[in-house]
Amino acid sequence: MAASAEKSEIPLLEDYIRLNKINLLILGLWPIPEVAPKWRQALQFFHTAVVFILFSMLFFPAIIDLYMFKGDVGVIADNLCTTMTMFSVITYIPYFTLRRKTLKAILRNMESNWNRSMDLTAPKTHRDILLRAAEFSKAFTRWYSFIIYVTCSLYMFSPLFILGDLETQTARRQPVRAWYPINQTSEVIYTAIYASQVVGGAISSIGSVSVDGLFLVMMRHFCAQLRILQCELTTLGTSVANCESNSFTAHFRMNKTTTDVELLQRIKNIIEDHQSAIQNADNIRSLYNVVCFLQLFVSSVVICVIGFQLIFYLDSWGLDLVKYVMYIQAVLLQIYIYCSLGDDLLTEEI
């Protein structure tokens, strides 16, 4: 009964990546099992294609709007605030679709490492290191998701409360600047366009949260793996008792001194874990090297454009100002995620 109770208290990786999984499932990017039937694979491909088409109905009209008003600096700046973010998301969808196998390998490695560290016979130090990383990732992902979704909601629904001049009222009431070759004075057409932009905006926010949040979870987990390896190396040659156990089932090991057989086995395990960490690092680099470059480029442009827009709205103290302040906070959080995780990785490597 005691062993069963202890086993039921073992945390699952699923509990800490659930939000990331839900977001990727909505986009059709979460990898399905390799043994899944072909109809399920076809259904996932259809799901992803539908998401891409719905998002294209917002992205490409926004690109056309840039060309139609290429002489108006204010309009271009307003357009680029959202179009640059949409450009990154519309790139992520086919990119992650093609890299689904790599994503699956990373998730499989994370789950294997998690189960081994959470095993009742594993040192408690390993469990604590991994749990701290997972809890931080979960909390930060929730906060980041809140900022992104609030910013998206301000963009999507602020036109309902802000009316423009009579000449441009229809264009001003659109959540995102976009050009459509149809007359929008009809309420039916306007409502259809508004609904399509809300759907596109939701996909854009979910895409940003899922990609950035997944990177956060992966990198924090990888840094925890390196920290566990450091712990193993610093205690190499000492008794296993130096690392507390998760369960009384491993208590019999604590009274033993390190024998040659134990030492060789621990060295072998460390080498295997190191090789696994190297392979996992290669997979993460392969999956996110393009994403990191694109994110840095997009965030840099968006910060410049939002700063330009804030100059015109500092005296208004309206929803537009709140929208841009929330937006720049979200972009700064995006940059913080990638830069801070890179710094953490360098620290763990040292």
Side-chain angles (χ1 to χ4, degrees):
M1 291 294 292
S4 177
E6 285 185 354
K7 187 174 181 179
S8 63
E9 295 176 359
I10 297 178
L12 301 176
L13 180 62
E14 176 82 11
D15 298 333
Y16 294 93
I17 64 172
R18 182 171 289 112
L19 182 58
N20 306 91
K21 182 177 180 179
I22 291 173
N23 289 329
L24 289 172
L25 282 172
I26 293 174
L27 299 178
L29 299 178
W30 185 261
I32 60 177
E34 296 179 356
V35 295
K38 291 186 178 181
W39 67 264
R40 188 176 176 186
Q41 299 176 15
L43 184 62
Q44 185 183 45
F45 177 80
F46 177 75
H47 179 181
T48 308
V50 170
V51 170
F52 184 83
I53 292 172
L54 290 174
F55 191 60
S56 299
M57 293 171 62
L58 173 60
F59 175 72
F60 290 110
I63 293 295
I64 297 174
D65 185 78
L66 277 176
Y67 176 78
M68 298 298 294
F69 296 91
K70 57 185 177 181
D72 193 327
V73 177
V75 171
I76 292 177
D78 190 23
N79 184 301
L80 286 177
C81 286
T82 53
T83 303
M84 291 302 298
T85 300
M86 289 190 292
F87 170 70
S88 62
V89 174
I90 204 170
T91 305
Y92 294 157
I93 295 176
Y95 179 78
F96 274 82
T97 300
L98 297 175
R99 297 287 184 139
R100 194 174 281 133
K101 288 185 178 180
T102 304
L103 175 58
K104 187 182 300 183
I106 297 173
L107 294 173
R108 190 186 304 115
N109 180 278
M110 289 176 59
E111 185 175 9
S112 174
N113 181 264
W114 178 275
N115 293 335
R116 187 169 62 254
S117 298
M118 295 299 152
D119 187 84
L120 296 176
T121 60
K124 185 176 182 297
T125 309
H126 297 183
R127 177 180 181 176
D128 292 340
I129 291 173
L130 211 53
L131 281 176
R132 282 196 299 268
E135 287 169 357
F136 174 84
S137 301
K138 182 179 179 180
F140 195 94
T141 300
R142 286 181 173 179
W143 170 247
Y144 177 64
S145 301
F146 174 77
I147 296 296
I148 293 292
Y149 292 146
V150 168
T151 304
C152 179
S153 299
L154 286 173
Y155 261 92
M156 293 300 108
F157 302 111
S158 60
L160 299 177
F161 306 98
I162 302 176
L163 298 179
D165 300 329
L166 292 177
E167 306 84 21
T168 60
Q169 181 171 343
T170 303
R172 289 275 299 178
R173 286 174 57 194
Q174 292 177 356
V176 178
R177 285 208 60 91
W179 185 86
Y180 300 92
I182 52 178
N183 189 352
Q184 302 177 38
T185 56
S186 169
E187 285 298 323
V188 175
I189 296 177
Y190 167 72
T191 302
I193 292 176
Y194 198 108
S196 69
Q197 291 203 356
V198 170
V199 172
I203 294 173
S204 180
S205 60
I206 293 173
S208 296
V209 168
S210 60
V211 173
D212 299 336
L214 186 65
F215 182 72
L216 172 66
V217 170
M218 287 178 176
M219 290 298 294
R220 292 292 296 185
H221 184 94
F222 180 64
C223 288
Q225 280 184 281
L226 295 180
R227 200 170 298 122
I228 290 173
L229 278 175
Q230 292 175 3
C231 177
E232 284 289 323
L233 288 172
T234 54
T235 59
L236 187 63
T238 62
S239 174
V240 183
N242 291 342
C243 289
E244 298 179 24
S245 174
N246 286 332
S247 169
F248 290 108
T249 59
H251 181 70
F252 72 94
R253 301 173 61 191
M254 295 186 176
N255 297 322
K256 294 183 178 181
T257 57
T258 303
T259 64
D260 292 341
V261 175
E262 285 180 331
L263 182 60
L264 289 175
Q265 183 60 42
R266 291 184 66 184
I267 292 175
K268 179 182 177 182
N269 293 338
I270 290 174
I271 293 175
E272 291 177 350
D273 290 342
H274 186 235
Q275 292 296 324
S276 176
I278 292 175
Q279 181 61 46
N280 195 34
D282 289 339
N283 287 334
I284 295 176
R285 178 186 56 80
S286 174
L287 183 64
Y288 269 92
N289 56 355
V290 175
V291 174
C292 290
F293 169 76
L294 185 62
Q295 187 61 60
L296 180 61
F297 169 72
V298 168
S299 297
S300 301
V301 174
V302 171
I303 288 176
C304 295
V305 174
I306 293 178
F308 178 80
Q309 288 293 93
L310 284 174
I311 296 175
F312 297 97
Y313 289 100
L314 282 177
D315 297 330
S316 63
W317 295 100
L319 274 179
D320 281 330
L321 179 62
V322 176
K323 179 176 66 177
Y324 287 121
V325 169
M326 290 295 296
Y327 196 6
I328 198 168
Q329 182 179 356
V331 176
L332 290 175
L333 274 177
Q334 285 181 320
I335 295 178
Y336 171 78
I337 289 175
Y338 289 88
C339 293
S340 64
L341 291 175
D343 182 69
D344 290 343
L345 181 59
L346 289 175
T347 302
E348 295 300 333
E349 287 180 342
I350 294 174

